[in-house]
């Protein structure tokens, strides 16, 4: 049980001291790192690839841009960004080193090694100077951050004027009946897939619970604006199962 004198946060459906969440999240992703990409395909029937491509379509990377991909893990977003930009640089930052290790093993990492940097770091305390990047992305990662507002504030700090924030995250389906159907799938099937593919039911139970605890689309849009981003808006993907939030540092 969390110490009542400490600030608490959610870890899935559990309340835990804020000081414990990062370590627990590291434990989850260290456990699933080697199977993370396989599990993403299994959980979403491969649709996560379409969502990430939609992210790139809206982002429209340009040659010479510098990307910071936070919670970038195995490099999916950075690889897509560099391919679309044709010429640029991507820094992949993740709290969990085993995820970065898996990313470096991918064929794209070798082909793009001159344009990639891999950094272990915390989204709430980025190890970069102000105004360092043209683009900041975080894909299916901000719900795992202990204090998401601080991560958004840090995103604003490290972006250059004219820089772009884009967040891809699981979210809430506006239709209540469809949300119930999705919840039945999520809570009954995904942990079983985690057990079968990654031999880790508990980590995938957490991942499902963390989705349900994440703020809805409009609440999160308010957080993006609170961080200082302008022209902030969002687009639902697959009826709202996932959502893209975009904002500009002006």
């Amino acid at each position: 049980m969390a110490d009542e004198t400490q600030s608490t946060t959610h870890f899935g459906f559990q309340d835990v001291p804020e000081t414990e969440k990062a370590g627990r999240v590291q434990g989850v992703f260290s456990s699933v790192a080697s199977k993370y990409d396989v599990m993403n395909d299994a959980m979403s029937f491969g649709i996560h690839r379409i969502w990430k491509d939609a992210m790139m379509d809206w982002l429209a990377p340009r040659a010479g841009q510098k990307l910071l991909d936070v919670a970038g893990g195995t490099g999916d977003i950075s690889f897509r960004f560099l391919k679309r930009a044709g010429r640029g640089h991507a820094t992949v930052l993740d709290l969990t080193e085993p995820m970065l290790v898996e990313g470096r093993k991918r064929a794209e990492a070798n082909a793009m090694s001159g344009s990639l940097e891999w950094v272990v770091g915390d989204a709430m305390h980025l190890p970069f100077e102000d105004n360092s990047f043209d683009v900041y992305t975080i894909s299916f990662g901000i719900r795992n951050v202990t204090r998401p507002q601080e991560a958004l504030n840090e995103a604003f700090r490290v972006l250059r004027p004219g820089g772009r924030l884009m967040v891809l995250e699981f979210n809430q389906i506006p239709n209540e009946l469809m949300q119930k159907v999705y919840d039945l799938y999520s809570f009954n099937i995904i942990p079983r897939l985690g057990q079968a593919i990654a031999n880790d039911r508990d980590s995938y139970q957490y991942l499902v619970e963390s989705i349900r605890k994440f703020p809805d689309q409009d609440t999160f849009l308010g957080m993006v604006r609170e961080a200082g981003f302008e022209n902030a808006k969002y687009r639902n993907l697959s009826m709202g199962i996932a959502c893209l939030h975009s904002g500009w540092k002006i």
Side-chain angles (χ1 to χ4, degrees):
M1 183 179 293
D3 183 343
E4 293 182 359
T5 64
Q6 298 185 43
S7 296
T8 61
T9 187
H10 58 82
F11 179 77
F13 289 164
Q14 300 177 54
D15 287 329
V16 300
E18 284 191 343
T19 52
E20 288 185 12
K21 180 164 181 176
R24 292 191 179 212
V25 169
Q26 279 182 297
V28 166
F29 286 95
S30 294
S31 174
V32 304
S34 65
K35 299 290 185 181
Y36 184 72
D37 292 322
V38 175
M39 274 301 300
N40 276 347
D41 281 331
M43 287 191 300
S44 70
F45 302 102
I47 295 171
H48 75 100
R49 298 174 185 273
I50 296 172
W51 296 335
K52 290 169 181 174
D53 286 340
M55 184 184 200
M56 289 299 112
D57 289 343
W58 197 10
L59 186 58
R62 300 192 307 275
Q65 288 185 317
K66 288 184 65 177
L67 166 71
L68 175 59
D69 182 24
V70 174
T74 58
D76 255 8
I77 297 301
S78 291
F79 298 149
R80 281 174 165 79
F81 177 89
L82 291 172
K83 286 174 184 175
R84 294 282 188 110
R87 175 177 55 81
H89 188 274
T91 299
V92 186
L93 179 136
D94 202 283
L95 188 66
T96 308
E97 188 168 13
M99 291 288 286
L100 298 174
V101 170
E102 291 301 317
R104 288 193 195 98
K105 292 178 183 177
R106 294 176 57 168
E108 298 100 323
N110 289 329
M112 302 175 183
S113 60
S115 302
L116 278 168
E117 184 178 0
W118 306 82
V119 177
V120 177
D122 184 342
M124 298 188 299
H125 306 284
L126 295 173
F128 307 110
E129 295 182 358
D130 298 358
N131 308 314
S132 296
F133 297 94
D134 302 299
V135 181
Y136 174 112
T137 56
I138 183 166
S139 172
F140 303 122
I142 201 161
R143 74 182 190 280
N144 299 310
V145 175
T146 303
R147 294 184 295 277
Q149 187 66 60
E150 290 187 18
L152 291 170
N153 296 346
E154 277 287 86
F156 188 85
R157 180 183 68 79
V158 301
L159 279 170
R160 294 169 177 159
R164 180 97 178 264
L165 165 84
M166 189 159 285
V167 180
L168 173 60
E169 189 52 88
F170 290 111
N171 226 290
Q172 314 301 326
I173 302 175
N175 181 292
E176 187 175 348
L177 178 60
M178 290 300 296
Q179 182 66 54
K180 287 181 178 177
V181 172
Y182 177 57
D183 284 348
L184 280 172
Y185 164 74
S186 297
F187 285 98
N188 289 285
I189 303 300
I190 289 177
R192 293 178 185 177
L193 285 173
Q195 182 62 39
I197 295 174
N199 195 30
D200 188 345
R201 182 187 182 95
D202 290 347
S203 290
Y204 284 91
Q205 182 71 32
Y206 157 73
L207 292 174
V208 171
E209 292 175 1
S210 69
I211 293 167
R212 296 300 288 124
K213 295 293 286 186
F214 191 70
D216 66 24
Q217 286 90 323
D218 288 308
T219 302
F220 189 72
L221 183 65
M223 295 169 67
V224 171
R225 289 172 173 157
E226 184 178 335
F229 290 100
E230 298 187 34
N231 195 25
K233 56 188 69 175
Y234 68 82
R235 294 178 180 177
N236 282 327
L237 304 173
S238 300
M239 300 179 295
I241 292 175
C243 184
L244 283 167
H245 281 80
S246 168
W248 295 85
K249 179 175 178 177
I250 297 174

